[in-house]
């Protein structure tokens, strides 16, 4: 009768042979993996450092030549940025100060420039006034909505050229789209008055007043937090 020891002997010999064969075929060991703290940091476009950097402000848009005094400008021929209404690029107006365009937010819209609501003042101390021009945006009469959005476009001299340096938009949110009620110039800033709708206000008559100070640094505008005044 075969004993248990004899049954195991062939198996032990096979294991030993396989072990010796594997030892002969083994390649050089792989280099050790560095811990995370030793891995080189990525500084290319996909690195976290690059993604956390502040975006570069948009450059002023040259829209034409500028007279020494902007009060003598024929505003009917001056285009305006349409981003405040979701319209990319510059908008050019007809003789009535209106234009139709496609908004990425509201579809077909009508953009109107006011020839009367233009305010002048000097923020950068160069003794040449800038101009703030009111522009409104509605849904072209589709729902008789009087306003979808509004903005003040700020124009300034850049050398001998006229440039749109930015659009001022309402900062205080309300029941409906907040209206712009006036602008004042001061050194390095533009003070904007807003009318906003409280819950329960009739669509005709906003009861809230707010003020937002926009700071001008070079040719860039930055809004502060809106301050409720009533």
């Amino acid at each position: 009768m075969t004993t248990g020891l004899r049954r195991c002997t062939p198996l032990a010999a096979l294991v030993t042979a396989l072990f010796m064969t594997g030892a002969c075929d083994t390649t050089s060991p792989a280099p050790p993996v560095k811990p995370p703290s030793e891995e080189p940091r990525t500084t290319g476009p996909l690195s976290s450092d690059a993604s956390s950097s502040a975006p570069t402000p948009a450059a002023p848009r040259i829209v034409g030549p500028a007279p020494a005094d902007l009060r003598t400008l024929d505003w009917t021929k001056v285009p305006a940025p349409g981003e405040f209404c979701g319209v990319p690029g510059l908008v050019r107006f007809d003789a009535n100060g209106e234009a139709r365009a496609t908004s990425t937010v509201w579809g077909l819209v009508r953009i109107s420039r006011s020839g009367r609501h233009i305010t002048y003042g000097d923020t950068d101390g160069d003794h040449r006034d800038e101009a703030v021009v009111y522009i409104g945006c509605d849904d072209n009469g589709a729902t008789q909505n009087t306003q979808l959005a509004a903005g003040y476009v700020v124009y300034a001299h850049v050398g001998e050229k006229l440039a749109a340096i930015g659009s001022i938009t309402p900062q205080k949110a309300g029941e409906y789209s907040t209206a712009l009620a006036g602008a004042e110039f001061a050194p390095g800033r533009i003070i904007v008055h807003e009318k906003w709708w409280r819950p329960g206000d009739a669509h005709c008559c906003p009861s809230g007043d707010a003020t937002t100070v926009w700071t001008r640094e070079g040719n860039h505008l930055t809004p502060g937090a809106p301050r409720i005044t009533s």
Side-chain angles (χ1 to χ4, degrees):
M1 180 177 65
T2 305
T3 64
L5 180 59
R6 291 179 179 177
R7 286 199 303 267
C8 294
T9 298
L11 179 60
L14 178 60
V15 171
T16 301
L18 291 175
F19 175 79
M20 293 178 65
T21 303
C24 295
D25 294 339
T26 302
T27 60
S28 300
V33 178
K34 293 181 180 181
S37 60
E38 295 180 14
E39 292 289 342
R41 294 185 64 189
T42 301
T43 57
L46 298 180
S47 68
S48 58
D49 289 348
S51 62
S52 62
S53 60
T56 302
R61 294 185 178 182
I62 304 299
V63 296
D69 185 354
L70 296 189
R71 289 177 174 81
T72 67
L73 193 64
D74 183 1
W75 290 105
T76 63
K77 300 179 180 179
V78 178
E83 283 86 354
F84 76 96
C85 189
V87 176
L90 293 173
V91 175
R92 299 186 181 275
F93 301 93
D94 61 20
N96 296 319
E98 295 185 353
R100 269 70 175 175
T102 301
S103 167
T104 59
V105 180
W106 294 291
L108 180 63
V109 295
R110 175 174 56 195
I111 300 177
S112 304
R113 184 204 57 243
S114 172
R116 295 175 299 170
H117 298 97
I118 301 177
T119 306
Y120 299 91
D122 185 11
T123 59
D124 58 4
D126 67 351
H127 305 292
R128 297 186 300 179
D129 284 347
E130 295 81 57
V132 165
V133 179
Y134 177 86
I135 297 181
C137 167
D138 62 47
D139 61 5
N140 199 35
T143 61
Q144 298 183 345
N145 196 326
T146 57
Q147 178 178 282
L148 294 172
Y152 284 139
V153 178
V154 182
Y155 294 91
H157 293 85
V158 175
E160 300 302 319
K161 301 294 186 179
L162 178 68
I165 65 172
S167 297
I168 288 175
T169 53
Q171 299 297 298
K172 177 68 182 77
E175 189 75 4
Y176 302 106
S177 179
T178 299
L180 296 172
E184 302 174 44
F185 287 84
R189 56 186 182 159
I190 300 175
I191 303 154
V192 178
H193 302 285
E194 305 174 13
K195 295 291 292 185
W196 59 284
W197 275 258
R198 292 186 170 92
D201 283 351
H203 200 185
C204 68
C205 310
S207 63
D209 292 282
T211 298
T212 301
V213 176
W214 290 70
T215 301
R216 180 181 177 184
E217 297 181 359
N219 285 320
H220 302 295
L221 300 168
T222 305
R227 181 173 63 90
I228 297 175
T229 56
S230 68

